[in-house]
Amino acid sequence: MLILNQRQKDLLAWVNREGYVAVEKMAAHFAVTHQTIRRDITLLAEHKLLQRYHGGASVLSSVENVAYDARQVLMIDEKRRIARALAAEIPDNASLFINLGTTTEEVAKALSQHRGLRVITNNFHIANLMCDYPDCEVLVAGGALRKRDRGLTGEATVQFIRQFKVDYGIIGVSCIEHGGVLRDYDYREVLTTQAIMQQSRQVWLAADHSKFDRPALVELGHLSQVDVLFTDQPVSAEMAEVLAAGDTRLVVAG
């Protein structure tokens, strides 16, 4: 399991925010040697969390997400705090969509003590986890199964989802741009998430701070379509204005 120290977490968030950061600048900021920063960059690059360049590091391609096994441990403490905060607001006897993603998997884990849930998901990891919960019914969408993350996507998945209208659509995304645009990497996954949003009475987005202003190719929607954003750090003043304009409630997990 990859466990990042606080400097490595901050370094990764900085690179994601700025796009490219030089080794010299990082070393000065963190008050460590260039060799220490290069080792951090090498570790993060080996786990496909950023791209290493001579003299610095940059964000990954806008067309390819971080490897799934790496995402399962990246920002894990933050994701668990977000998941607990979100699960605390879900009542018993609720119906839910839960989409693909490592943050939404943590939400599924945090729902283990709930009763009377009816869950529809296109995430095999979540289905396997929640089918053992007492008094929890799990429906799994059909579609093409992706080997890399055990996710179901495609036209059959979308058609299945459109049969239902649920209380809460619990979604994750790859990117929240500064203007509130939501983005992801795979257009098939985007179509599935869009269907989930359309068929949910409430749309709740779970996203840690590293998701803000990352590069991602496909537009999914806008924060104004989200009823509640659950994250782990206070947002910028500009983002607060976007949330207020869209009447989107912000929950910062403690």
Side-chain angles (χ1 to χ4, degrees):
M1 176 179 288
L2 174 64
I3 299 176
L4 302 183
N5 62 38
Q6 191 59 51
R7 182 187 64 252
Q8 291 161 347
K9 289 182 180 180
D10 292 344
L11 186 157
L12 181 60
W14 188 6
V15 172
N16 281 331
R17 185 172 60 250
E18 299 292 331
Y20 176 89
V21 184
V23 167
E24 184 174 355
K25 189 173 183 180
M26 287 186 274
H29 176 81
F30 293 112
V32 296
T33 66
H34 289 198
Q35 289 77 10
T36 297
I37 292 298
R38 290 193 185 99
R39 284 196 296 269
D40 287 344
I41 292 172
T42 297
L43 173 68
L44 296 169
E46 286 175 348
H47 286 84
K48 299 183 180 179
L49 300 177
L50 49 69
Q51 290 183 349
R52 179 178 56 191
Y53 287 95
H54 179 69
S58 78
V59 295
L60 291 171
S61 165
S62 65
V63 300
E64 184 178 5
N65 202 354
V66 176
Y68 195 79
D69 56 351
R71 283 189 285 138
Q72 285 183 307
V73 296
L74 180 63
M75 300 288 178
I76 188 62
D77 292 336
E78 293 85 348
K79 290 175 181 178
R80 286 173 177 165
R81 293 203 308 272
I82 291 167
R84 287 193 295 268
L86 191 156
E89 297 201 22
I90 296 289
D92 288 341
N93 303 305
S95 57
L96 315 172
F97 284 127
I98 307 181
N99 81 336
L100 298 176
T102 54
T103 307
T104 52
E105 282 187 33
E106 292 303 321
V107 173
K109 294 174 185 177
L111 290 168
S112 62
Q113 300 304 309
H114 283 59
R115 297 294 182 267
L117 297 182
R118 300 298 178 264
V119 178
I120 304 160
T121 186
N122 62 324
N123 184 328
F124 258 29
H125 292 290
I126 287 174
N128 287 332
L129 179 71
M130 299 192 76
C131 69
D132 290 327
Y133 291 178
D135 194 22
C136 179
E137 180 180 66
V138 179
L139 300 177
V140 182
L145 182 63
R146 296 195 311 205
K147 183 176 181 180
R148 69 176 183 268
D149 60 5
R150 299 300 188 267
L152 290 150
T153 60
E155 184 177 349
T157 312
V158 171
Q159 289 177 350
F160 183 85
I161 286 168
R162 285 181 175 159
Q163 297 178 79
F164 304 92
K165 191 75 171 181
V166 304
D167 299 323
Y168 304 96
I170 312 303
I171 65 170
V173 297
S174 294
C175 165
I176 305 173
E177 290 185 337
H178 64 273
V181 174
L182 308 177
R183 292 188 177 275
D184 223 308
Y185 295 93
D186 187 326
Y187 78 93
R188 292 172 293 265
E189 186 174 342
V190 163
L191 292 174
T192 303
T193 302
Q194 287 173 338
I196 286 173
M197 295 170 71
Q198 292 163 4
Q199 299 303 117
S200 301
R201 296 181 179 91
Q202 287 271 312
V203 177
W204 290 7
L205 171 60
D208 68 74
H209 68 274
S210 71
K211 302 297 178 67
F212 288 86
D213 292 323
R214 288 180 65 193
L217 182 65
V218 188
E219 183 172 338
L220 186 156
H222 192 272
L223 272 176
S224 59
Q225 298 169 266
V226 172
D227 295 284
V228 190
L229 168 63
F230 293 83
T231 189
D232 63 296
Q233 290 186 6
V235 300
S236 66
E238 181 182 11
M239 185 58 64
E241 291 180 3
V242 171
L243 293 169
D247 197 26
T248 300
R249 181 163 64 94
L250 174 67
V251 175
V252 178

